[in-house]
Amino acid sequence: MSSIVLFGPPGAGKGTQAERITDQTGLPQISTGDMLRAAVKAGTETGSLAKTYMDAGQLVPDEVIIDLIKERITHPDAKDGVMFDGFPRTIPQAEALATITEVSHVIAIEVPDERIVERICGRYSCAGCGSVFHDTFNPVAAEGCDCGEWQEKRRADDNEGTVMSRLNAYHEQTSPLAEWYESAGIFHRIDGDRAIDDITGDILAALQ
Ligand code: AMP
């Protein structure tokens, strides 16, 4: 089995693109952020540990993340490969991933720092289907999401207070992975500061 990694800063549009690529490739999306938010909501031990870090805009410890991934990858839908969204975020996570599955493509969605704050602070999603919207760039229709179960949801950590810490964590702990994957010849840079459809088109082309 061979898997894809969606790589990039918070607010780059990884979740939005993951949803579209899943439709095209059939590979299930594995988002460690979504898994952690589900654990927080369910009130599990992992959730309450993770919440402290998430609220501060810091990365959750590697052992916690690696255990989540090791378990998730055993599910039947992962047998032909998956699309990781927001994982790996550190060198130890990438090392662990290399022992779990082969990575065929790392898609880096690049967005300059100065655009990240406005992108993160205006975003929201549909609680019914998970589609992502933005107050300015991609507002939901007046009648709500076309899934028919429209309910607006905003993430607790999508605020100006945590954005800078999340960006710092990205630059210090995650961006060094670019070199690691570049030297493996599987790193594809995509300009993420464009129309959503154009970005999807380039990602699909890189995956060919
Ligand atoms: P995301 O939804 O990917 O933006 O993640 C939201 C938050 O969850 C991050 O700011 C981190 O606190 C935590 N998180 C998600 N994925 C990881 C990961 N791979 N490693 C460490 N922390 C993570």
Side-chain angles (χ1 to χ4, degrees), residues 33 36-37 39-41 46-61 89 154-167 169:
L36 292 170
R37 281 183 286 279
V40 171
K41 200 170 168 195
T46 301
S48 58
L49 170 74
K51 189 175 185 310
T52 335
Y53 294 91
M54 294 167 84
D55 286 348
Q58 293 168 356
L59 294 186
V60 172
R89 264 177 153 101
R154 291 195 188 243
R155 277 172 50 172
D157 61 345
D158 275 354
N159 60 66
E160 281 187 50
T162 60
V163 168
M164 293 321 288
S165 336
R166 289 162 68 194
L167 261 179

Side-chain angles (χ1 to χ4, degrees), residues 61-83:
D62 287 333
E63 314 80 72
V64 174
I65 300 291
I66 293 166
D67 283 351
L68 279 180
I69 291 289
K70 280 190 173 156
E71 193 281 324
R72 176 64 182 87
I73 207 86
T74 62
H75 295 197
D77 67 342
K79 71 179 189 335
D80 297 325
V82 302
M83 182 173 37

